[in-house]
Amino acid sequence: MADNSSALPKRIAVIGAGTMGNGIAQVFAAHGVATVLCDVSDEAVQRGVAAIGKSLDRFVKKETITAAQKDAILGRIAPVTDVADAVGGVDLVVEAVFENLDVKTKLFRTADAAAPAAAILASNTSSISITALAAATKRPAQVIGMHFMNPVPIMKLVEVIRGQDTSDATCATVMAASQALGKVPVEAQDYPGFISNRVLMPMINEAAFCLMEGVSTREGIDEIMKLGMSHPMGPLTLADFIGLDVCVNILDVLKDGLGDDKYRACPLLRRMVAAGHLGRKTGRGFYEYT
Ligand code: CAA
């Protein structure tokens, strides 16, 4: 296999140590990249580091890596709680905080002011406009979407989203870095939901409508898609995995951004979100989790 490790950044900062952020930090650190992991509190960063440790334990158990390699990967991850500190001296920033335009815009402004002039600022957003985030910075040509899939250490795809002013050079750097991580990057233009969620969310939404209308049971709907279409998870299980609040939020972005009612969120999805049944993270969604 060709050694393309020179396409990797030397040092990166991942902002946000939640499920996506810690997965992204893990993958970079596992490929030898000095990785700063940043969140708002020590507790939040340490939770992220602990999740990375657990994920690496799975690879140790399978003998994909040794215990010493696990320690070396964790040793490459520096926990911090200040964004300006985190982005000093990095080649790439990957933002992976929760999906809120104001929070992300503020963060991009801070990162733009503190990161080296040559650094690329990427967002792992699943639904917020890359162009809008780029407009908050003085380097729109170096702003791009780097949308990883959950679970990040396992899923091969990186959806690479070009904003209005993203340069060819930025895009080429991020495509090459994603490949060097062992991922498969696929380019998309900056329209609502990009490709992944524009196609995925209507399927999940339709599955919720099928359940609401009594077309089948939750198990029936999921089995049809698993066995009939070879999906690893049925759409309702996948919705629980993603979070029903996240699904509704993305459907709203699709409906507003594309101006088409076909993306209206199923009332059952909204009702479940109102009840706090958000999926795995709250222990209850379409299914129950202990
Ligand atoms: N870290 C390390 N290894 C992990 C892991 C993690 N976080 N999660 C799963 N694995 C490994 C397991 O150890 C296991 O390894 P082996 O096969 O070598 O034993 C393998 O992955 C499969 O896991 P499980 O046996 O536990 O369960 P599974 O076979 O059901 O697979 C799954 C789990 C990989 C999550 C699979 O169900 C799947 O691919 N589901 C679909 C996931 C998907 O669609 N993700 C995209 C969501 S959308 C998104 O992320 C973006 C968005 O914008 C909303």
Side-chain angles (χ1 to χ4, degrees):
M1 215 185 352
D3 176 18
N4 53 1
S5 58
S6 62
L8 285 168
K10 297 274 172 293
R11 186 179 173 83
I12 73 150
V14 179
I15 316 296
T19 307
M20 296 307 287
N22 71 57
I24 294 166
Q26 176 180 333
V27 168
F28 276 100
H31 284 80
V33 178
T35 302
V36 182
L37 182 59
C38 177
D39 210 315
V40 287
S41 67
D42 272 335
E43 201 195 351
V45 190
Q46 288 311 329
R47 260 200 311 271
V49 173
I52 295 171
K54 270 190 169 175
S55 173
L56 292 172
D57 281 339
R58 292 174 145 194
F59 293 111
V60 173
K61 204 167 160 205
K62 284 187 276 186
E63 299 184 356
T64 315
I65 60 170
T66 63
Q69 282 171 321
K70 172 192 159 186
D71 291 343
I73 295 167
L74 286 173
R76 274 181 219 119
I77 300 173
V80 305
T81 54
D82 183 83
V83 174
D85 283 351
V87 304
V90 303
D91 309 304
L92 172 69
V93 177
V94 184
E95 169 278 311
V97 304
F98 61 98
E99 294 288 274
N100 176 292
L101 179 62
D102 289 342
V103 172
K104 285 190 196 266
T105 306
K106 212 172 138 209
L107 208 151
F108 266 72
R109 235 177 253 131
T110 308
D112 184 37
I120 290 174
L121 309 182
S123 176
N124 178 60
T125 182
S126 53
S127 60
I128 286 173
S129 160
I130 299 302
T131 306
L133 297 178
T137 74
K138 294 191 175 71
R139 61 179 95 191
Q142 289 157 246
V143 175
I144 194 161
M146 224 179 157
H147 185 204
F148 291 81
M149 300 292 132
N150 185 20
V152 181
I154 298 294
M155 303 293 282
K156 283 281 177 203
L157 178 71
V158 182
E159 189 175 31
V160 175
I161 303 113
R162 293 185 75 130
Q164 177 76 29
D165 296 316
T166 307
S167 69
D168 290 344
T170 298
C171 193
T173 301
V174 165
M175 297 285 285
S178 304
Q179 269 163 354
L181 291 176
K183 304 289 187 197
V184 178
V186 178
E187 218 180 294
Q189 297 295 326
D190 186 21
Y191 289 105
F194 319 131
I195 298 166
S196 53
N197 282 313
R198 183 156 173 184
V199 177
L200 173 64
M201 287 302 156
M203 181 191 69
I204 286 176
N205 203 33
E206 210 54 40
F209 272 112
C210 285
L211 185 66
M212 187 178 80
E213 291 167 11
V215 181
S216 184
T217 59
R218 59 187 186 181
E219 290 83 2
I221 293 162
D222 275 351
E223 282 298 285
I224 294 266
M225 298 308 288
K226 273 172 67 179
L227 300 180
M229 285 76 188
S230 276
H231 290 193
M233 285 174 163
L236 300 174
T237 305
L238 181 56
D240 279 357
F241 185 63
I242 292 168
L244 304 193
D245 53 337
V246 174
C247 294
V248 168
N249 181 48
I250 297 173
L251 284 160
D252 287 343
V253 167
L254 289 171
K255 181 167 162 284
D256 294 346
L258 296 164
D260 194 329
D261 274 352
K262 76 179 178 185
Y263 300 107
R264 76 204 181 288
C266 171
L268 174 60
L269 266 178
R270 282 201 196 279
R271 198 174 75 177
M272 291 177 74
V273 171
H277 304 326
L278 307 183
R280 276 198 199 190
K281 62 187 166 190
T282 58
R284 185 169 168 194
F286 289 110
Y287 295 88
E288 295 75 40
Y289 304 88
T290 48

